[in-house]
Amino acid sequence: VQLQASGGGWVQAGGSLRLSCAARGSISRINTMEWYRQAPGKQRDLVAAITNGGSTSYADSIKGRFAISRDNAENTVYLQMNSLKPEDTAVYLCSADGLSFTDSGEPIAWRHWGQGTQVTVSS
């Protein structure tokens, strides 16, 4: 299973970006999909999460500005980011956990990370 993130870039403060992260491979089920971010010299922080059933949670710093959603048929998670601020500048990484089966039918639980996509917000 691999996660491929896209959609980052440069934007002025107040602008918007939409990130996407697609999971590819032999996947039976994806449980929770998440977006994290990591700024230079800082720890990686959870930004938003969405369960298979669509329940969402957000970091306080982005509530009301960002929205996470997913397309279960496409195994893809999105992060719509509005009213961006310079402090939102970071590498954004997606993560997902789920279940696959081997050729012999053995279940394998997994968690994988995408490669990260840079978001830069200028003042």
Side-chain angles (χ1 to χ4, degrees):
V1 177
Q2 292 185 328
L3 273 62
Q4 181 69 43
S6 61
W10 177 90
V11 66
Q12 288 189 322
S16 298
L17 285 172
R18 189 189 194 210
L19 306 182
S20 300
C21 177
R24 296 285 182 258
S26 178
I27 299 170
S28 177
R29 174 187 173 90
I30 298 179
N31 298 319
T32 301
M33 305 186 83
E34 300 168 319
W35 284 100
Y36 288 75
R37 68 185 181 186
Q38 187 165 20
K42 295 188 177 181
Q43 67 181 20
R44 183 175 296 181
D45 292 325
L46 178 63
V47 174
I50 185 167
T51 68
N52 182 273
S55 296
T56 59
S57 58
Y58 296 95
D60 288 342
S61 59
I62 57 88
K63 279 182 180 177
R65 300 188 296 122
F66 292 10
I68 189 170
S69 60
R70 64 190 283 174
D71 183 335
N72 288 335
E74 297 293 330
N75 290 332
T76 300
V77 63
Y78 304 96
L79 187 67
Q80 178 66 44
M81 305 185 294
N82 300 324
S83 302
L84 282 160
K85 304 175 180 180
E87 52 262 43
D88 294 318
T89 295
V91 173
Y92 284 70
L93 305 103
C94 58
S95 174
D97 69 272
L99 183 69
S100 298
F101 289 90
T102 67
D103 292 342
S104 59
E106 294 297 317
I108 300 175
W110 48 264
R111 186 185 188 190
H112 289 290
W113 292 82
Q115 83 283 10
T117 183
Q118 177 70 45
V119 171
T120 302
V121 185
S122 65
S123 58

